[in-house]
Amino acid sequence: MNLLKNTIDLDISTPVYKFSCKLRRRLTIVHGDSGVGKSSLSALLLARPDDLKVECTLNLLLATPDQWSMTLNNAQDSVIIFDDMDCVETLEFAKLCHDTLVRNNNYLLLICRDEMPYLEDIDGEDGKRKALSISLDEIYNFKTDGINHWLEHDM
Amino acid sequence: MLYVSVGDYTEDCIRRTSAFFDFNKKPEWFEDEFVRHTIRTIDRSEVIMGECIVSPVLGAIAPERLSSGCKGVILLRMLPERSIYATRCGDNCFPLIQELSKMQDVKILLHNCPKMPVDIEATFVESGKEVHNRREFVEEYYRLRHQYTGV
């Protein structure tokens, strides 16, 4: 499955919180220390304050614990953020990613530290094993200087 | 002592640490010196009075605005009978978890291998093996975890 597509620029900002990144592949994985503002990103997208500015060529969605599978199935032309969600460990999540990401032209930003063993080893219904390739280049640390937030590679 | 599980979720394990903390925290928790130390170290914030916390970035905040990792460590301190899904905690939380484990028993579940302090001491629940440093921790973690994930 070809996961390569156009690079998507994502910029989210309020007067006191700024985040920007480039999504080069369908799956981008983000982790990092506690207290650097990862969950603040989700809180902003959930609350959508009036002064929130989002610049992205695709729709920006936040997956929720009870609707994530519906979002993956139905959302199109979107960047979908998963923040510390249990579902990323599951076979169902891996299968939905395999079946829908390219079809729906979606990109995922996974903020998690969980292992995701199924993403690279999925039992297909046809008996063949499928996989999504996760590039090491698209695993990042979330960094901040207090106001600005960005992604850096692990060194 | 630090007790580490790497298998499936158990009933006593708090998985959604942030939500659990938000709806179960108690005002007296923030009078505990280790809790204040945790908030100061992980979130670089100070407990001023009661549940009023001051962050250098956010200003005056309620405990709900603390980071998930900070909340997880506070739960470990205040609810020692419960296990915490510590994959929700960043690497910067584990020196504090190590410090806490010298004061009381600490139980965590991990589905990732964090960068533990070099001199970490822990007991893996599934095997009973005691480890005494980071290298032993990593080896035992992946040996056990392979049994659950096959990778």
Side-chain angles (χ1 to χ4, degrees), chain B residues 130-145:
Chain B
E130 293 185 12
V131 297
H132 303 284
N133 55 58
R134 182 194 290 166
R135 178 174 178 157
E136 290 178 3
F137 185 96
V138 171
E139 288 176 349
E140 184 64 6
Y141 172 85
Y142 282 109
R143 188 187 75 79
L144 286 174
R145 193 70 187 132

Side-chain angles (χ1 to χ4, degrees), chain B residues 59-75:
Chain B
I61 60 172
E64 287 82 351
R65 306 254 338 243
L66 293 171
S67 67
S68 300
C70 185
K71 292 175 182 177
V73 177
I74 293 173
L75 288 171

Side-chain angles (χ1 to χ4, degrees), chain A residues 16 32-36 39-40 65 84-86 89 112-115 117-118 121 144-147, chain B residues 9 15-16 42-44 57 67-69 85 87-93 111-112 141 145 149 151:
Chain A
V16 294
D33 280 347
S34 292
V36 294
S39 292
S40 295
D84 262 349
M85 289 181 57
D86 303 339
E89 290 186 289
C112 67
R113 303 179 188 91
D114 309 70
E115 293 166 352
Y118 295 112
D121 190 16
T144 185
D145 64 7
I147 302 291
Chain B
Y9 298 106
R15 294 170 63 171
R16 297 180 184 173
I42 297 175
D43 283 10
R44 295 172 298 281
V57 176
S67 67
S68 300
Y85 184 48
T87 292
R88 297 283 178 256
C89 298
D91 290 349
N92 57 331
C93 298
H111 286 179
N112 74 314
Y141 172 85
R145 193 70 187 132
T149 65
V151 295

Side-chain angles (χ1 to χ4, degrees), chain B residues 90-100 115-117:
Chain B
D91 290 349
N92 57 331
C93 298
F94 287 91
L96 277 166
I97 292 176
Q98 178 188 35
E99 187 179 332
L100 182 62
K115 187 175 180 181
M116 284 293 191

Side-chain angles (χ1 to χ4, degrees), chain A residues 54-110:
Chain A
V54 176
E55 293 178 24
C56 184
T57 52
L58 301 180
N59 303 314
L60 182 60
L61 303 174
L62 181 68
T64 59
D66 54 345
Q67 300 223 338
W68 64 269
S69 62
M70 191 185 310
T71 302
L72 275 177
N73 261 316
N74 297 329
Q76 296 189 7
D77 301 317
S78 299
V79 173
I80 308 171
I81 296 179
F82 284 72
D83 182 11
D84 262 349
M85 289 181 57
D86 303 339
C87 62
V88 301
E89 290 186 289
T90 65
L91 180 60
E92 183 189 359
F93 176 80
K95 283 184 174 177
L96 273 175
C97 285
H98 185 276
D99 294 343
T100 67
L101 285 187
V102 174
R103 181 189 80 195
N104 293 354
N105 190 33
N106 289 332
Y107 290 69
L108 300 191
L109 183 63
L110 305 179

